[in-house]
Amino acid sequence: SPLSLKGPTGVVLDAVDFRGFNPPSDGSLQLDAGYYTSEFNDQRIHWCPSSLGIPGGVSDLGTPGEENDGCPPAGIDTGSVTLTADDLLAGEIEITEMMVDPSDCSGVDAAGEYIEFRNLTNFNVDLNGSVLSIGSHQTQVHGGVLPPNGYAVAVRSNSFRCYGLTAAFEFGGALSSGGDLIRLSNNFADLAAIDTTGWNIPTGSAIQLDPGLAPEDYTGTRDDWCSASQVFDGAVTDRGSPGEDN
């Protein structure tokens, strides 16, 4: 349940919901020393296991009453830590690219549709067990490991695809040129969501989230996105950058 700090009159001064934070068994979770605010302490991305032994302790780690480590703490190989989908909070995964209406695939959209996801944490993330919803269609994710600050591409069909992409997982629902509400969810929240209903969707070009935008500046509208301009490896004329920076 949430941990809350209340003032003398019972007013909640701050609260943190630790469900899904996956704390270590032999030490403390610490808020990154650079993010001491009531907004940042709600986000799992700003917490990490301590790397320093507690004075007077035997093997437990922490810095009670002293400045916290930064995240990730020095000496921690973040590439060796894997978070599960339920460890994540809303916004720690983002949808960064979608091929909705391919033209290279002999008129078979199922062979070319893809969605790209980016991991915004400093740890590996395993999306296995999360749910991808496209409109009313839901697909339980099997597989899908994203490296720290890296990408994974989901395709509509892994057995029949025209680009030869290395896909992290499949999704069953078709992407619509008329738009969809697309959500990636764990058992607690939507990790990433975008509603493309009414957007202008190009043919033969992926739409890409503007890489120059910071997450706090997203408007959730088509203005955040642009059409890809470069043909990618495996395509003939279709444009995009699946699995790579936009």
Side-chain angles (χ1 to χ4, degrees):
S1 62
L3 174 69
S4 61
L5 175 67
K6 296 181 179 181
T9 62
V11 174
V12 175
L13 304 177
D14 191 22
V16 178
D17 189 345
F18 285 96
R19 289 175 293 183
F21 273 32
N22 193 26
S25 60
D26 59 352
S28 64
L29 274 180
Q30 298 187 333
L31 182 64
D32 189 318
Y35 294 91
Y36 285 166
T37 74
S38 59
E39 290 80 20
F40 286 127
N41 70 4
D42 291 324
Q43 301 174 12
R44 173 65 178 83
I45 194 173
H46 298 307
W47 292 79
C48 56
S50 176
S51 63
L52 301 176
I54 297 175
V58 178
S59 61
D60 287 346
L61 306 176
T63 55
E66 299 178 2
E67 187 78 5
N68 290 349
D69 299 335
C71 285
I76 296 294
D77 177 11
T78 58
S80 68
V81 177
T82 298
L83 303 179
T84 69
D86 279 346
D87 291 330
L88 301 175
L89 297 180
E92 292 188 326
I93 300 292
E94 64 181 4
I95 298 168
T96 49
E97 183 170 327
M98 292 176 281
M99 176 65 80
V100 178
D101 190 12
S103 62
D104 280 354
C105 305
S106 303
V108 183
D109 283 1
E113 293 180 5
Y114 66 78
I115 304 173
E116 178 189 79
F117 299 90
R118 186 179 182 192
N119 172 14
L120 297 182
T121 78
N122 293 318
F123 303 93
N124 294 309
V125 167
D126 186 351
L127 293 180
N128 190 59
S130 59
V131 174
L132 177 61
S133 302
I134 301 174
S136 60
H137 190 281
Q138 294 187 334
T139 300
Q140 186 167 31
V141 174
H142 297 285
V145 177
L146 289 75
N149 298 292
Y151 300 94
V153 177
V155 297
R156 185 173 163 194
S157 173
N158 230 343
S159 58
F160 180 46
R161 47 195 169 130
C162 66
Y163 303 132
L165 294 176
T166 300
F169 60 92
E170 290 181 286
F171 57 89
L175 296 174
S176 170
S177 296
D180 302 282
L181 174 58
I182 302 170
R183 298 181 296 123
L184 180 70
S185 309
N186 63 12
N187 286 315
F188 304 106
D190 289 342
L191 304 177
I194 190 70
D195 189 350
T196 63
T197 303
W199 286 16
N200 176 26
I201 304 294
T203 298
S205 178
I207 56 172
Q208 301 178 325
L209 183 64
D210 183 349
L213 279 179
E216 59 268 23
D217 295 327
Y218 295 163
T219 65
T221 68
R222 182 67 168 85
D223 291 341
D224 296 342
W225 296 70
C226 52
S227 299
S229 60
Q230 295 186 349
V231 176
F232 58 94
D233 289 344
V236 179
T237 61
D238 284 351
R239 299 174 299 279
S241 56
E244 301 178 356
D245 290 339
N246 291 346

